[in-house]
């Protein structure tokens, strides 16, 4: 931080300790009484140099860890596995529907429905169960 005056920092810190919800204008007025040269700063510059720094020290919050690369997509490996699993189940169900629509006679339809266990096995295999 550049040009930080310790006296102003202490005055602003004590004012914030007494009244944590003090406005920037109130704190600025206190700082100007301590050092009139601070009046050359804009409210925004003053806030960035003094109250903001003090508030950050008072409430450190949670620290973020290093960011992970998002090359694997939104959910990573599990999301890709879920997509592959979904496509396998979808393919099996579409195959079942195609076999049903291809059945021209009643006996063919009964044969497809009787073989539903084969489709169930394919779905179970695709889901890993």
């Amino acid at each position: 931080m550049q040009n930080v005056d310790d006296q102003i920092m202490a005055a602003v810190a004590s004012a914030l300790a007494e009244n944590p919800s003090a406005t920037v204008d109130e704190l600025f007025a206190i700082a100007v009484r301590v050092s009139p040269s601070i009046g050359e700063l804009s409210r925004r510059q003053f806030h960035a140099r003094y109250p903001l720094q003090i508030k950050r020290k008072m409430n450190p919050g949670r620290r973020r860890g290093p960011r992970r690369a998002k090359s694997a997509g939104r959910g990573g490996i599990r999301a890709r596995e879920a997509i592959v699993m979904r496509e396998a189940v979808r393919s099996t169900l579409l195959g079942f529907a195609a076999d049903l629509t291809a059945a021209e006679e009643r006996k063919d339809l009964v044969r497809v429905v009787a073989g539903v266990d084969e489709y169930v096995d394919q779905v179970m295999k695709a889901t890993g169960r």
Side-chain angles (χ1 to χ4, degrees):
M1 263 184 286
Q2 52 180 313
N3 302 331
V4 175
D5 188 350
D6 291 333
Q7 289 179 338
I8 297 171
M9 187 68 83
V12 172
S14 67
L16 282 173
E18 291 175 18
N19 182 11
S21 61
T23 65
V24 173
D25 291 329
E26 294 169 350
L27 298 172
F28 189 73
I30 292 169
V32 169
R33 275 188 255 133
V34 172
S35 175
S37 65
I38 215 68
E40 296 173 4
L41 296 176
S42 69
R43 301 286 193 273
R44 186 175 182 176
Q45 290 170 326
F46 168 75
H47 179 71
R49 285 190 192 160
Y50 298 100
L52 183 62
Q53 302 307 318
I54 294 167
K55 288 179 181 180
R56 282 186 178 164
K57 288 178 185 174
M58 290 170 57
N59 299 318
R62 70 175 185 92
R63 295 282 181 203
R64 289 184 171 185
R67 290 186 176 205
R68 296 184 305 191
K70 291 188 176 185
S71 62
R74 189 165 168 203
I77 294 171
R78 283 195 172 172
R80 279 187 268 146
E81 289 174 354
I83 291 170
V84 169
M85 184 185 320
R86 182 181 185 284
E87 287 301 314
V89 170
R90 182 177 185 275
S91 175
T92 302
L93 293 176
L94 286 175
F96 179 67
D99 290 346
L100 282 176
T101 57
E104 293 182 9
E105 296 182 22
R106 184 177 178 108
K107 66 179 181 173
D108 297 330
L109 181 64
V110 170
R111 193 174 297 131
V112 171
V113 172
V116 75
D117 288 335
E118 183 180 324
Y119 296 102
V120 171
D121 291 341
Q122 289 177 12
V123 168
M124 296 301 285
K125 181 181 176 185
T127 59
R129 295 185 175 122

